Amino acid sequence: MDPVDDAFLVARAREGYLDAFENLLKRHRDRTYRIALRLLGNSADAEDVAQDSMVQAWQSLPGFRGDSSFASWLYRIVVNKSRDLQRRSRPVVPLEETTAPQLSTGPDPAGLVEGRARADALHAAIAALPFDLRAPLVLREFEKRSYVEIAAILGLSETTTRGRLARGRQTLVQQLREWS
Amino acid sequence: MTGMDDGGLACGRRWTDLLDQVADRGQQPVDDHQEHCPQCQAALAEFAALWQPVHDVASEDVRAPADLVHGVMRQLRDVVPDDWYAAIAATGGTTKVAVRALAKIATQAARRVPGVVVALGRRTDPDEAARTERDTFEHAAPGSALGVAGGSVAIDLALVVHYGKDVRGIAREVRRAVRQDTESLTGLRRVEVNVVVDDVVVPADLVLPGDVAAG
């Protein structure tokens, strides 16, 4: 276990200890990057967003009141930056226009090709989800955050969060079923 | 099939509830009805199979690129003005050492001192440095002001130490270790180290039941 908690490092970072902030970033870098990766679907955009989010966190630190954990606050920045990037870079592709990924046809002794194809199908189906359904799904299914924490990260009520998560799951499973 | 179009199974259960169940807790039936209902069991099995790629992707070990934090810190150091240098005159030229480099040397030295759990460094606040300069008449010798280009440097160190250790002794040892390292690594002889002991870590086995764990 880490000898000091995030709140201690946040307090020191606010006093100008850049060291303390670097420690915080090292603690949360993997999850920060992973959330961006699952939201955006490619590593180049994910790296940009993760980096921008961390810089933004430093700049916004004086306004961080500690109402939520530092982690939730940072992930919220990541989600917002991912949404912004997506809005700027490409129009939303309607679900009907997406094409099913090629499923395995050749010999597949270890089942690896099929597994890969199913993962590709999943990523395509997630990318096709509207952002507001995708964000709770990513935080829940891949990051295993609690409903309460997801609601805090997204700035939504818990009821709205649950509703969006359920709709995201339904859309996703219907798409996966059509492609299977 | 599971009746995904009309929202309900033949038995009256909603498929959306079963899907949430599979996603959150897995395929196991959760009540007596599900134990004995073929429609529910078929739906649970189908959703479990469809949901498997989600579990597979979730269990992938994805790490941030190795230089991510490094890149951020480089950007921040551009944003946070850090143009202080300690200058070391030598024959044939002058060596300048950035204060943040000295802070790094200082934190490394402090972390080696027994009893120190965490050491964080920063340059001393400019106002503070100016005050110290005024109080110590350093301005009488131009160029030697604390932190500013010159031969002397002031560094703040925030420490977290182990519970039960002699805090003053640790602070003294940290100052000594930092002076020694900065001197031997940079040649700077006038290093002021302000030590702030910010917290004390209590070993887990000393925390009494009922105490709020820090962490």
Side-chain angles (χ1 to χ4, degrees), chain A residues 15 19 30 51 147 169 177, chain B residues 2 20 24 46 64 122:
Chain A
E15 290 167 5
D19 267 14
D30 289 335
Q51 192 156 340
Y147 289 100
R169 283 170 170 167
R177 188 197 230 180
Chain B
T2 47
D20 280 338
D24 277 336
E46 188 191 1
R122 68 170 179 186

Side-chain angles (χ1 to χ4, degrees), chain B residues 24-124:
Chain B
D24 277 336
R25 293 190 296 276
Q27 193 183 344
Q28 292 312 307
V30 293
D31 58 26
D32 210 41
H33 169 91
Q34 289 183 3
E35 288 280 2
H36 299 102
C37 172
Q39 280 109 9
C40 280
Q41 284 173 17
L44 289 170
E46 188 191 1
F47 290 148
L50 287 169
W51 209 248
Q52 188 53 44
V54 176
H55 292 310
D56 293 344
V57 169
S59 63
E60 284 174 10
D61 186 20
V62 178
R63 301 288 174 91
D67 57 353
L68 176 66
V69 171
H70 185 72
V72 171
M73 295 313 290
R74 209 170 42 224
Q75 277 192 56
L76 292 186
R77 287 183 177 120
D78 290 342
V79 175
V80 179
D82 189 12
D83 49 0
W84 290 10
Y85 289 89
I88 306 155
T91 45
T94 306
T95 306
K96 285 179 168 183
V97 184
V99 169
R100 69 162 180 276
L102 292 166
K104 191 162 268 180
I105 292 170
T107 49
Q108 293 300 326
R111 279 170 197 160
R112 287 200 308 273
V113 173
V116 171
V117 181
V118 174
L120 303 165
R122 68 170 179 186
R123 65 174 189 180
T124 297

Side-chain angles (χ1 to χ4, degrees), chain A residues 95 98-99 101 119-129 175 179:
Chain A
L95 209 53
T98 56
T99 47
D120 288 348
L122 174 65
H123 290 309
I126 290 172
L129 284 175
Q175 187 68 75
W179 288 346

Side-chain angles (χ1 to χ4, degrees), chain A residues 51-69:
Chain A
Q51 192 156 340
D52 283 359
S53 301
M54 289 169 164
V55 172
Q56 166 88 58
W58 172 259
Q59 289 162 344
S60 303
L61 204 57
F64 173 56
R65 291 255 169 271
D67 298 335
S68 63
S69 69

Side-chain angles (χ1 to χ4, degrees), chain A residues 12 29 39 53 79 103 110 137 148:
Chain A
R12 296 294 82 74
R29 63 182 154 194
L39 286 173
S53 301
V79 170
L103 293 175
L137 190 94
V148 174

Side-chain angles (χ1 to χ4, degrees), chain B residues 4 16-17 21 30 35 58 70 75 80 83 103-104 113 123 127 134 139 149 155 159 162 171 178 210 214:
Chain B
M4 279 163 67
T16 52
D17 294 339
Q21 181 182 325
V30 293
E35 288 280 2
H70 185 72
Q75 277 192 56
V80 179
D83 49 0
K104 191 162 268 180
V113 173
R123 65 174 189 180
D127 295 340
R134 203 168 48 240
H139 60 281
I155 295 161
L159 302 183
H162 280 299
V178 170

